Amino acid sequence: MVGLFKQKNPANIFLLLVFGVLIKLPMFSQPHITERGTGDGILFRALLDYLHQHKSMGPVIYPILAFTLLYIQAIILSRFIAQHRMMNRPTYLPGMAYLLITSLFQEWNYFTAPLLVNTFLLFVLSALFRIYNQPEARGTIFNIGLALGLASFFYFPAITFIGWILLALMVMRPFRLNEWVLCLLGVTAPFYFYAVYLFIVGGLNWDNLLPPLTVHLPSLKQSAWMAGSVFLLTVPFLIGSYYVQDNLRKMLIQVRKGWSLVLLYLLVAILVPFVNNSDSFANWVMAAVPFAAFHGCTYLYSGFRIVPILFFWATVAFIIGFQYWGPGW
């Protein structure tokens, strides 16, 4: 399976779909109905209200939406890494890794606001990569801020990714105050139009415009299954990080900066769930994208062919055990 996804073959798009359906089959047989979360934005709450009121497809609509997002994000991630030559050959390994590691935690397969926000963050990541040495990047920088502002209307704690974007601007471009201001204007633009709407309908106040942000430690239930998931998530990441570091000298400067963006992305994504957290792993799904990028390097660069094969089948076996003999989905 690892060898198949190493190839840049258009048929792998279909193979990735089949692989995703098989590895996530219980999400369809035992559909999870999404309820409102503490950090859900107004647009995601409106979407949930619409789905709850129109039940023509039944509960299965939620796993269908979740899987569609996961599959599309896996394709986007693979194409982004191939397009910008972040690996020494184009492969579908990052997409395979994304579908695999999102199966390690059942909450990462639910239709949630953080999962939806991943699509916006992938767009932002791609746009940040493009602004390197781009003479006229003001339009792209505004769109980056606008995408983050819209994402916060689906999951409000995503607004904290503004720190990642500003750090990324420092990494990718010389400091220009007008570009930073333009990015912040893009972030605030959706809030401006929402404030106008609230003013017209008579509901303008700070609580409606800007929901409160709280930071506290989540209370997560510990188990051997959770420890196994964390182990299979972190060990391939550490191995992939080593291979990225080992290959940096062979990479273009733009690619080196790109991997710095992915690492910063991961650090922020790990911290965001502490904001308005819901005491579950659902919010940590935003870290799955950068994790999958490093996992893809583990499967591609390993000098011992048996290592990626062992990690792949050990992860698959663990996921199947978790689904059918463990806590289940």
Side-chain angles (χ1 to χ4, degrees), residues 89-204:
R89 57 186 292 188
T91 73
Y92 283 91
L93 289 174
M96 180 204 75
Y98 184 71
L99 293 178
L100 196 62
I101 66 177
T102 51
S103 302
L104 290 171
F105 300 96
Q106 62 190 63
E107 295 89 347
W108 288 8
N109 299 274
Y110 296 162
F111 179 64
T112 59
L115 178 61
L116 185 58
V117 165
N118 273 358
T119 307
F120 290 90
L121 295 179
L122 279 167
F123 167 80
V124 170
L125 178 63
S126 180
L128 286 170
F129 204 99
R130 291 197 306 270
I131 64 174
Y132 178 75
N133 276 347
Q134 185 178 346
E136 183 55 54
R138 287 180 294 180
T140 304
I141 291 174
F142 179 82
N143 290 337
I144 289 171
L146 182 62
L148 182 63
L150 289 174
S152 66
F153 276 77
F154 289 94
Y155 181 62
F156 187 67
I159 197 69
T160 55
F161 273 95
I162 187 62
W164 169 55
I165 291 177
L166 295 178
L167 287 173
L169 290 177
M170 293 175 60
V171 171
M172 301 301 287
R173 297 179 66 81
F175 174 75
R176 295 185 178 94
L177 181 60
N178 62 333
E179 293 182 350
W180 284 46
V181 172
L182 196 61
C183 179
L184 294 175
L185 286 175
V187 174
T188 57
F191 292 93
Y192 170 78
F193 289 107
Y194 183 50
V196 172
Y197 166 77
L198 290 177
F199 177 77
I200 293 174
V201 300
L204 180 60

Side-chain angles (χ1 to χ4, degrees), residues 308-329:
I309 295 174
L310 285 176
F311 269 117
F312 174 82
W313 288 112
T315 306
V316 169
F318 177 85
I319 292 169
I320 293 174
F322 184 92
Q323 293 171 343
Y324 296 101
W325 295 286
W329 283 13

Side-chain angles (χ1 to χ4, degrees), residues 32 108 110 163 197 204 217 241 245 256-257 286 329:
H32 174 267
W108 288 8
Y110 296 162
Y197 166 77
L204 180 60
L217 293 175
S241 301
Q245 182 67 31
R256 298 178 192 176
K257 291 179 178 290
M286 291 182 291
W329 283 13

Side-chain angles (χ1 to χ4, degrees), residues 4-17:
L4 290 175
F5 285 115
K6 275 187 180 181
Q7 310 300 321
K8 186 186 178 182
N9 189 338
N12 280 347
I13 297 177
F14 176 72
L15 184 61
L16 199 63
L17 175 64

Side-chain angles (χ1 to χ4, degrees), residues 67-78 98-99 119 122:
F67 180 81
T68 301
L69 286 172
L70 288 166
Y71 177 68
I72 292 175
Q73 290 162 7
I75 295 295
I76 293 174
L77 177 62
S78 295
Y98 184 71
L99 293 178
T119 307
L122 279 167

